[in-house]
Amino acid sequence: MKQISDFEEYKTVYAHAIANPEVFWEDKAAEFHWFKKWDKTLKWNFTEPSIKWFDGGYTNLCYNCIDRHLEIRGNQTAIIWEPNDPKTPSRLITYNELHKEVCCFANVLKDVGVKKGDRVCIYMPMVPEGAIAMLACARIGAIHNVVFGGFSAKSLADRINDCGCTLLITADAVFRGDKKIELKQIADEAMADLTVISSPQQNGAIKAIVFNNRNEPVTMQAGRDFWWHELLETASSDCLAEPMEAEDPLFILYTSGSTGKPKGVLHTTGGYMVYAGYTFNEVFRPQSGHEIFWCTADIGWITGHSYLVYGPLLNGVTTVLFEGIPNWPDPGRFWEVVDKHQVNIFYTAPTAIRALEAQGTKWFEGKKLDSLRVLGSVGEPINEEAWEWYHKNVGKGNCPIVDTWWQTETGGILISPLAGITPLKPAYATLPIPGVQAVLLNERGEEISGNNVEGNLCMKFPWPGMARTVYGDHERFKNIYYSTYPGYYFTGDGCKRDADGYYRITGRVDDVINVSGHRIGTGEIEDALNEHPAIVESAVVGFPHDIKGQGIFAFVICNAKIDNASILTTEAQKLVFEKIGAFARPDRIVVVPGLPKTRSGKIMRRILRKIAEGDTSNLGDTTTLLDPSIVDIIKHKAAELSETL
Ligand code: WTA
């Protein structure tokens, strides 16, 4: 694929893409294989909203990721699997082998009754079979719903119920570091908890395919659960890729928002494919197609979808899939893997960088890291110190860092340097990539022009990778993203534009917190906490955390005097673990007699945020509170808690 060659060209192409968006995107789409060319490049309005890209065209994402490359790269490695335990051998899968495995598994899916348009839940560890399952779904037109392996049975069941999955693909168990996670057992619990299965053909039943990852004992329910390897025995390796309409759904991925339960963000086939392929190529700039790219994200998050599986494979590069964690068996593991597989492009999250930074530089001893050419960061704002550390110690001062800003809803990167092209500025996502029209809006919804300004980040024009709806609830989709500022897509992020026109994301302006790069709605945590028999009401806010970026601070009102706050804390944390997952556990829980509420009963989170940050010198105007005296009491309780920590 073509790449922009210098910063001057970036500016020209950027202007061209604004002036002629359809021509610009037709050119990008033409890089891929289409069974039938589209009739209309773009039809859109942000009021319904309705967005259609490449309408009338037929393509297949899996075909474009694999089949299209076979002639020239059949024997090139497509996936390098690096296991959790460094003593276990790696697995290298060529494009030819991947083709065979995906075709066989696509036939397995058909054999168990999966048809085009059916929803398939993938609850898998970081093994190639996770990616194979995704690609096989895309091949036959089934809609995948990947659920991160760190979610609890309850969260898994909610997601299966919400989009009516008829099949669950999982594994017996996985080790992450020295910790075992019994996925099948969690899946069993989830399957026992299913209420809604929408497919009448399935008669309310769900089937499960279980990949034997660890030889761990599991209970298999006859007629419902099937072993992956047994089903494969009779599967043919012949499977044509289903021609899919550009706007046919490709996948659903659940993500958290300000209010309510997580929503199933829906992406469609043609636009997502073009966008994932284009952004991967232009931002990371793989050379010659023989490069080794490593994205450390889990396939359960959007980054794993767009830049671990689809983006790299669309570009015919080799993608590394790592089962382990950064600090096991020691904090040098990432660097050992970079050297072992001669990784050229490395893409990770600021939280991992900060966690490794805290371990000191001795873990670089004996590591060369000289294969690295480009570094990337994603998921949360990267602070300047972490940026410098990453640049100096990992990149040895020679590798550009692409600080990529984007979201589950955007499908791919919107604001980022193009590696080696855009002049960098630590902690800045820099500039929108060509084809993206970013604006900052003020409270009144007016565009803020000029530089040295700050506002809410919005998009004023569609791009192919954007989400089309929230599964089963288009009204909600409209309300969340298109109602705050009519005529714009609202990201939920605050942003500065500096004197050079460079963008710096300042963080969420809504009730979403970003813990270690994982998005969680404060409401979800509150709902879980409120199920504790002693907790009457709770309010959760984020606070700055050295490693995680944001930590979780919960203020809870109890129905009786609590004698032992530490027992309550342990129980409440366990509850959140069971209802959502380990990553959503509050770091701090403080029992308070009341919350700062306005006369209309709204909690003033601004005040709680300040208290959680430990910055109580100026809490702003508290006169509109029903009971302003509660603020001092909460301040006092929070201070007591921090003394005990
Ligand atoms: C935040 C992850 C600053 C942001 C791809 C966004 C970032 C949310 C960056 C989306 C970045 C992501 N700099 N903040 N480079 N990248 N974010 O849906 O708040 O898991 O709205 O998608 O992460 O998180 P999500």
Side-chain angles (χ1 to χ4, degrees):
M1 268 195 251
K2 284 177 281 190
Q3 289 174 352
I4 287 169
S5 51
D6 56 36
F7 194 48
E8 280 313 304
E9 190 187 346
Y10 159 79
K11 290 185 208 160
T12 321
V13 174
Y14 188 81
H16 160 70
I18 290 188
N20 314 287
E22 298 194 14
V23 178
F24 176 79
W25 288 112
E26 279 162 17
D27 193 36
K28 299 297 162 207
E31 303 261 8
F32 299 91
H33 169 270
W34 295 81
F35 295 105
K36 174 184 171 285
K37 200 183 163 199
W38 56 93
D39 305 316
K40 179 97 183 85
T41 306
L42 171 64
K43 278 194 251 175
W44 71 287
N45 72 70
F46 278 177
T47 36
E48 287 172 71
S50 166
I51 296 121
K52 289 194 164 83
W53 281 95
F54 314 115
D55 207 28
Y58 280 81
T59 186
N60 184 288
L61 176 60
C62 177
Y63 185 94
N64 274 282
C65 284
I66 307 175
D67 306 44
R68 191 166 56 103
H69 304 306
L70 294 182
E71 209 176 311
I72 47 167
R73 322 184 185 281
N75 294 322
Q76 182 198 308
T77 304
I79 298 180
I80 297 176
W81 178 65
E82 176 61 27
N84 177 59
D85 188 336
K87 292 196 281 298
T88 310
S90 317
R91 250 172 87 189
L92 269 56
I93 303 173
T94 65
Y95 273 92
N96 277 334
E97 288 161 348
L98 185 62
H99 181 253
K100 182 162 174 257
E101 298 219 25
V102 168
C103 286
C104 288
F105 194 66
N107 281 325
V108 164
L109 292 177
K110 288 187 192 169
D111 291 346
V112 298
V114 176
K115 287 179 300 304
K116 180 176 168 181
D118 286 352
R119 275 78 60 213
V120 172
C121 182
I122 300 177
Y123 185 63
M124 284 287 272
M126 287 287 283
V127 291
E129 283 67 17
I132 289 167
M134 292 165 75
L135 289 157
C137 285
R139 192 165 189 89
I140 66 167
I143 304 169
H144 61 66
N145 163 27
V146 187
V147 176
F148 170 56
F151 276 114
S152 67
K154 170 84 174 58
S155 293
L156 176 59
D158 285 349
R159 285 157 174 75
I160 295 173
N161 281 330
D162 189 72
C163 65
C165 297
T166 50
L167 176 72
L168 171 62
I169 303 172
T170 189
D172 53 344
V174 63
F175 274 83
R176 307 252 301 148
D178 52 11
K179 197 167 136 248
K180 183 162 73 174
I181 304 163
E182 290 175 319
L183 292 170
K184 176 61 165 67
Q185 207 170 304
I186 301 170
D188 285 342
E189 249 179 81
M191 285 190 282
D193 197 21
L194 297 182
T195 48
V196 193
I197 290 293
S198 60
S199 165
Q201 306 91 303
Q202 293 280 338
N203 250 342
I206 187 163
K207 288 183 181 160
I209 298 180
V210 185
F211 174 68
N212 183 7
N213 186 41
R214 302 281 320 185
N215 265 325
E216 290 286 330
V218 293
T219 321
M220 297 290 279
Q221 186 177 307
R224 185 194 70 180
D225 301 345
F226 304 89
W227 284 111
W228 177 301
H229 58 271
E230 287 180 6
L231 294 174
L232 265 191
E233 279 167 16
T234 51
S236 139
S237 61
D238 248 344
C239 177
L240 285 179
E242 180 77 25
M244 301 295 290
E245 266 215 60
E247 285 299 336
D248 276 339
L250 173 67
F251 67 82
I252 298 166
L253 187 57
Y254 283 82
T255 189
S256 296
S258 272
T259 50
K261 55 187 173 50
K263 45 194 185 289
V265 170
L266 184 116
H267 285 282
T268 56
T269 308
Y272 174 83
M273 171 181 83
V274 171
Y275 202 69
Y278 157 67
T279 49
F280 179 86
N281 175 53
E282 204 66 279
V283 171
F284 297 105
R285 315 180 68 71
Q287 310 289 296
S288 76
H290 293 294
E291 295 225 289
I292 315 286
F293 174 82
W294 180 15
C295 164
T296 67
D298 193 281
I299 53 164
W301 306 111
I302 190 70
T303 309
H305 285 57
S306 302
Y307 301 113
L308 194 160
V309 180
Y310 294 127
L313 296 180
L314 281 167
N315 283 277
V317 312
T318 300
T319 186
V320 177
L321 203 152
F322 176 47
E323 191 185 28
I325 52 174
N327 53 7
W328 189 85
D330 64 52
R333 184 74 197 275
F334 270 3
W335 323 131
E336 182 196 307
V337 175
V338 166
D339 278 355
K340 177 173 174 190
H341 297 299
Q342 291 291 291
V343 171
N344 305 113
I345 310 172
F346 178 70
Y347 190 34
T348 195
T351 187
I353 298 168
R354 289 189 298 261
L356 295 174
E357 182 184 351
Q359 304 296 320
T361 50
K362 77 165 180 172
W363 302 104
F364 290 104
E365 282 165 21
K367 312 287 188 327
K368 289 207 178 78
L369 303 185
D370 55 355
S371 57
L372 287 174
R373 211 172 45 72
V374 174
L375 303 177
S377 167
V378 61
E380 48 176 318
I382 179 166
N383 48 309
E384 229 169 299
E385 188 191 326
W387 194 101
E388 296 290 358
W389 185 88
Y390 193 27
H391 190 251
K392 177 168 169 236
N393 294 289
V394 185
K396 311 293 177 205
N398 301 319
C399 304
I401 297 179
V402 289
D403 176 359
T404 63
W405 176 86
W406 60 295
Q407 310 177 295
T408 304
E409 296 85 343
T410 70
I413 297 165
L414 296 190
I415 305 182
S416 168
L418 311 183
I421 300 286
T422 313
L424 303 175
K425 208 179 267 193
Y428 279 77
T430 72
L431 298 167
I433 65 166
V436 170
Q437 301 190 28
V439 289
L440 301 185
L441 299 189
N442 65 20
E443 305 282 274
R444 293 184 300 283
E446 298 153 349
E447 282 185 31
I448 309 172
S449 57
N451 290 337
N452 256 332
V453 290
E454 183 166 1
N456 286 340
L457 180 63
C458 293
M459 299 297 146
K460 66 188 286 185
F461 197 83
W463 65 98
M466 68 197 305
R468 301 298 195 262
T469 192
V470 164
Y471 187 81
D473 199 346
H474 195 67
E475 206 44 38
R476 194 167 170 217
F477 182 64
K478 178 177 171 169
N479 285 338
I480 299 172
Y481 306 106
Y482 295 92
S483 306
T484 317
Y485 301 114
Y488 297 89
Y489 165 79
F490 175 43
T491 65
D493 278 328
C495 185
K496 286 182 180 163
R497 190 167 52 219
D498 77 356
D500 297 324
Y502 269 38
Y503 289 81
R504 177 177 191 150
I505 312 298
T506 49
R508 302 288 303 194
V509 294
D510 54 11
D511 293 325
V512 171
I513 43 185
N514 197 328
V515 181
S516 302
H518 301 334
R519 253 169 89 169
I520 310 164
T522 52
E524 283 173 69
I525 305 173
E526 289 161 6
D527 287 348
L529 289 170
N530 294 349
E531 289 196 25
H532 190 283
I535 296 177
V536 186
E537 197 180 355
S538 58
V540 167
V541 295
F543 69 97
H545 189 286
D546 284 350
I547 307 263
K548 298 198 242 181
Q550 279 189 298
I552 302 173
F553 201 123
F555 297 86
V556 300
I557 305 178
C558 290
N559 56 13
K561 193 171 164 353
I562 296 295
D563 295 327
N564 192 329
S566 78
I567 293 182
L568 178 86
T569 301
T570 313
E571 287 175 358
Q573 285 180 329
K574 185 159 169 272
L575 200 58
V576 177
F577 172 78
E578 285 164 4
K579 299 280 169 197
I580 308 176
F583 63 93
R585 272 185 306 216
D587 301 274
R588 294 181 189 173
I589 300 181
V590 61
V591 181
V592 291
L595 292 166
K597 287 191 183 169
T598 60
R599 286 185 183 91
S600 59
K602 201 169 168 312
I603 298 172
M604 280 181 91
R605 287 169 188 278
R606 175 177 59 77
I607 295 175
L608 294 178
R609 269 186 224 118
K610 286 263 185 196
I611 296 175
E613 280 169 25
D615 170 16
T616 52
S617 53
N618 177 15
L619 292 177
D621 183 12
T622 55
T623 53
T624 55
L625 290 179
L626 190 60
D627 172 15
S629 72
I630 195 73
V631 175
D632 274 339
I633 304 175
I634 300 174
K635 250 164 62 177
H636 182 70
K637 296 271 178 196
E640 266 178 10
L641 176 76
S642 55
E643 272 166 30
T644 61
L645 291 172

